[in-house]
Amino acid sequence: MNIEPPSRILVVRRDNIGDLICTTPLIAALRQQFPDAYLAVLANSYNRTVLDGNPAIDEIFSYDKLKHTHGVTGRIAAVIARIKLIMAMRAKRFDLAILAKSGFDRHGLRLARQAGAKAILGFAPEQGAAPDTLTHPIAAENPKTLHEVEVVGQLLRPLGGKGAPGPLKMFPDARLVSGFRQKLEAQGPGRKWIALHLSAREQTRRWPEEKFVALIEQLNAVNDRPDGKDRIGFVLLWSPGAADNPTHPGDDDKAAEVLRRSAGACVVPIATVRLQELIAAVAACDLFVGADGGAMHVAVGLGLPVAALFENSDAKRLHWYPWQVSHRLIQPTMFPVSDIGVDAVASAVVELLPEVAERNAG
């Protein structure tokens, strides 16, 4: 089932931060294959920031999910904004919409229809027939054993695309990155900076504060080497707010405790209120440590070596591992990330430190 070369393309990806970052190889491949096409992306207001500055994209459309709005007034405003968004997309007269998700995307299909796309390409449901409105359904090959990037990349086949997908790509705000680098240099000149991301949305992905403290203590011993090589500092990153906030639980208390108990090390705290700040703060670092999630994929999209803490799940390990960057993936014997030992994470970081020098030299 081949598709005529489109001149106006809409890529639809409405999921979480990491999901959208994992779509950037598809976007880059579309730009390379159709250099003169108008290429737009439809995302949501929560994740669209990861596409800022991407030279492959002509325009980004975004909307507020209703579950992210507050009160009747907020919902009405979101509905009005959605109507305006649909009208703006319909005015673009898209030849093709691509549902860039590694499975059947019912909600994305509805949005593509509302956008008025003449043809819609996406994965068919695993069971039952595809809706008639999905004009070009294809079957995903090995969706459970291939990476998200590889599965989504299969959508290029009906367009004549060939070759393996490339790396994740992000383009952070240079001004924000410079500001964070100046802050780090003032705190500890000439160091390699390890980003420690404390937060994780799911309970099973959270590493305890006492283990972060022990990791800092163990890695800080590197700074005692007589040759002075590999001097390191730590950047503490977390989602700000109270842990009992029902809408957006934060880790202020956890961060404060880690800071209090790590007073002997060079630790710089950065509470990332906005996604732009998280991206820029990670870009200012040299190596990332954190659980599987959006922040980890941010680090991957920025090309950092990654020590990734994963639950003991083959499905997650095979489908969401750090794509095309130097990494160590660490899993516990049991299921939750909290069972991962400090020694295993410290060893992974030490193994990755030489990669920092190579990356910086390049």
Side-chain angles (χ1 to χ4, degrees):
M1 180 194 310
N2 292 326
I3 300 175
E4 291 295 320
S7 61
R8 306 184 74 77
I9 306 168
L10 177 67
V11 176
V12 180
R13 188 71 201 239
R14 53 176 300 280
D15 301 304
N16 297 319
I17 293 169
D19 303 71
L20 185 56
I21 298 172
C22 286
T23 308
T24 57
L26 172 73
I27 293 169
L30 286 168
R31 173 53 68 210
Q32 182 175 14
Q33 188 171 352
F34 304 107
D36 298 323
Y38 168 83
L39 178 57
V41 178
L42 173 59
N44 62 66
S45 57
Y46 177 71
N47 67 10
R48 66 158 288 162
T49 300
V50 304
L51 299 177
D52 286 349
N54 192 318
I57 301 171
D58 292 306
E59 189 168 0
I60 303 171
F61 296 100
S62 66
Y63 66 96
D64 290 329
K65 290 186 176 182
L66 291 181
K67 68 179 182 180
H68 292 160
T69 60
H70 302 284
V72 176
T73 302
R75 287 179 176 272
I76 292 174
V79 170
I80 293 173
R82 184 80 64 89
I83 293 172
K84 292 181 179 179
L85 171 69
I86 291 169
M87 294 179 65
M89 290 192 297
R90 294 183 74 87
K92 298 298 182 180
R93 300 184 180 278
F94 289 108
D95 302 314
L96 175 68
I98 301 175
L99 309 183
K101 181 177 182 178
S102 62
F104 177 58
D105 187 2
R106 185 177 303 278
H107 296 292
L109 176 59
R110 184 177 69 248
L111 289 166
R113 288 178 57 203
Q114 291 172 345
K118 296 177 183 177
I120 303 176
L121 167 65
F123 291 112
E126 291 186 7
Q127 297 180 344
D132 292 340
T133 50
L134 183 59
T135 61
H136 292 77
I138 68 170
E141 295 181 3
N142 303 317
K144 299 185 186 304
T145 58
L146 293 178
H147 195 283
E148 175 76 6
V149 171
E150 295 174 295
V151 180
V152 170
Q154 294 174 25
L155 291 165
L156 292 169
R157 290 184 321 214
L159 295 166
K162 298 178 181 179
L168 312 189
K169 284 292 185 181
M170 295 183 63
F171 302 86
D173 185 307
R175 180 184 57 82
L176 286 176
V177 175
S178 177
F180 281 126
R181 284 181 175 156
Q182 290 175 22
K183 179 177 181 178
L184 297 182
E185 188 67 15
Q187 294 289 327
R191 294 175 184 261
K192 296 177 181 176
W193 292 97
I194 300 175
L196 302 177
H197 193 259
L198 301 182
S199 299
R201 184 176 54 184
E202 298 179 17
Q203 182 64 42
T204 54
R205 297 185 190 181
R206 296 176 186 168
W207 210 43
E209 63 193 46
E210 61 269 17
K211 291 192 174 183
F212 275 106
V213 172
L215 177 66
I216 291 171
E217 181 179 353
Q218 190 165 332
L219 291 175
N220 197 50
V222 171
N223 293 327
D224 296 330
R225 291 178 180 174
D227 59 10
K229 292 181 63 177
D230 289 333
R231 288 186 62 79
I232 59 176
F234 305 92
V235 177
L236 211 60
L237 302 170
W238 73 95
S239 298
D244 59 358
N245 185 315
T247 307
H248 297 288
D251 286 301
D252 285 348
D253 291 342
K254 182 177 182 179
E257 185 63 14
V258 172
L259 281 169
R260 184 185 69 80
R261 296 171 60 185
S262 305
C266 182
V267 183
V268 179
I270 300 178
T272 52
V273 177
R274 299 179 302 147
L275 181 53
Q276 294 98 320
E277 293 170 335
L278 171 64
I279 295 168
V282 173
C285 296
D286 300 294
L287 190 150
F288 179 90
V289 178
D292 170 32
M296 184 203 77
H297 290 293
V298 166
V300 175
L302 296 168
L304 269 66
V306 171
L309 284 59
F310 269 63
E311 298 141 311
N312 190 358
S313 163
D314 284 344
K316 293 185 178 181
R317 175 180 62 84
L318 294 171
H319 197 73
W320 295 108
Y321 65 86
W323 176 256
Q324 290 190 5
V325 296
S326 297
H327 70 273
R328 299 294 184 275
L329 193 150
I330 312 147
Q331 292 180 290
T333 303
M334 303 301 288
F335 182 74
V337 163
S338 59
D339 288 338
I340 294 175
V342 174
D343 288 348
V345 181
S347 296
V349 172
V350 170
E351 290 174 7
L352 287 168
L353 280 174
E355 302 285 345
V356 172
E358 292 182 14
R359 175 176 176 270
N360 291 345

